[in-house]
Amino acid sequence: MPIWTYIFLMARAATTSDAFNAVAEPQRRRILVLLKGRERPVNELARALRITQPRTSKHLRVLREVGLVRVREAGQQRLYGLDARGLQPVHEWVIGFEQYWNENFDRLNEYVKRLQQKEHADGKRR
Amino acid sequence: MPIWTYIFLMARAATTSDAFNAVAEPQRRRILVLLKGRERPVNELARALRITQPRTSKHLRVLREVGLVRVREAGQQRLYGLDARGLQPVHEWVIGFEQYWNENFDRLNEYVKRLQQKEHADGKRR
DNA sequence: TTGACATATGCCGATATGGACATATATTTT
DNA sequence: AAAATATATGTCCATATCGGCATATGTCAA
């Protein structure tokens, strides 16, 4: 089977591994919150979240891969610390909508929008 | 098979369907950006994103289910409009990290953190 | 009514994901 | 060295997800 077939078949999903994705998982969000202020070892996080240690390690791995946490060896333990810089893009994207969630969708507003839409639709009609 | 067995087996993933998740998908983010300012019909979105219409409809369904867009029938078309209120929780969560991504990880900072960590570890030792 | 257009949905295939469990690896303690 | 502790990883299972394609549904025009 030629390589391009393989590539073609592979070209499906590719959701993985950016800050947006890392943060989509509730447990991972909780981990990040727990890491505010100070580093913590894996077991402590697992206990705090009431989840198993392997699961915790896997979430930490994802967070590590997208650069939201960093690890530091400390004897037997691995101390995970927050590196929030990766959250900045998320913030920047979301803040771009601030004016819209404050918007009051009153009738006039809607009316104007519909007019605009109508114009647009007519204009584009081919 | 007793019902609890079923429930037990079911209790696996549950990632689905909140704003965090909806926004984790790049195409869906692009859709939301396109909907800033004015409503758009599905086909227009599909064309703008260079993706198929069914795919667009499916993304829109997710966005609709989490309440980030609303639909309005307009003859043959369905006009999708932004409802950014659902993004507010995302913003609130992320903004809680603002002080940390500005943080400069200098040596003193680290030193203090490590001291705290050590104290904590010693204190918890059982 | 028929046909064109707009949209939603069902099905399939491939892959990603999350969790549980067992186990491998590394470090410290005895 | 052996045991205890801390963590990472591999395997298995069930499900979610994304994409393409075909098609169903609904609306408007001729």
Side-chain angles (χ1 to χ4, degrees), chain B residues 81-104:
Chain B
L82 179 65
D83 186 349
R85 286 173 295 179
L87 291 178
Q88 214 167 348
V90 179
H91 175 251
E92 275 162 20
W93 185 84
V94 175
I95 203 68
F97 290 86
E98 189 172 28
Q99 58 178 122
Y100 297 100
W101 68 63
N102 290 319
E103 198 175 70
N104 51 334

Side-chain angles (χ1 to χ4, degrees), chain A residues 19-70:
Chain A
F20 282 95
N21 217 290
V23 152
E25 222 287 324
Q27 306 287 20
R28 288 198 286 262
R29 284 201 298 279
R30 297 178 64 199
I31 288 177
L32 293 178
V33 170
L34 285 169
L35 293 182
K36 281 184 185 181
R38 67 175 170 79
E39 297 171 315
R40 291 177 192 259
V42 179
N43 268 328
E44 188 183 324
L45 291 169
R47 253 183 288 127
L49 298 177
R50 314 295 222 94
I51 62 179
T52 66
Q53 170 271 310
R55 197 83 287 271
T56 309
S57 283
K58 282 180 186 174
H59 282 313
L60 285 169
R61 183 186 176 136
V62 173
L63 292 171
R64 213 187 325 131
E65 281 171 351
V66 303
L68 287 173
V69 301
R70 52 207 151 69

Side-chain angles (χ1 to χ4, degrees), chain A residues 63-114:
Chain A
L63 292 171
R64 213 187 325 131
E65 281 171 351
V66 303
L68 287 173
V69 301
R70 52 207 151 69
V71 211
R72 185 164 66 81
E73 318 250 334
Q76 228 168 341
Q77 308 191 117
R78 324 249 309 189
L79 297 181
Y80 281 83
L82 179 65
D83 185 349
R85 286 172 295 179
L87 291 178
Q88 213 166 350
V90 179
H91 176 252
E92 275 162 20
W93 185 84
V94 176
I95 203 67
F97 291 86
E98 187 171 29
Q99 56 179 124
Y100 298 100
W101 68 65
N102 290 319
E103 199 174 69
N104 50 335
F105 299 98
D106 55 40
R107 288 207 181 105
L108 178 58
N109 213 316
E110 282 299 300
Y111 180 68
V112 172
K113 277 189 185 167
R114 290 179 197 191

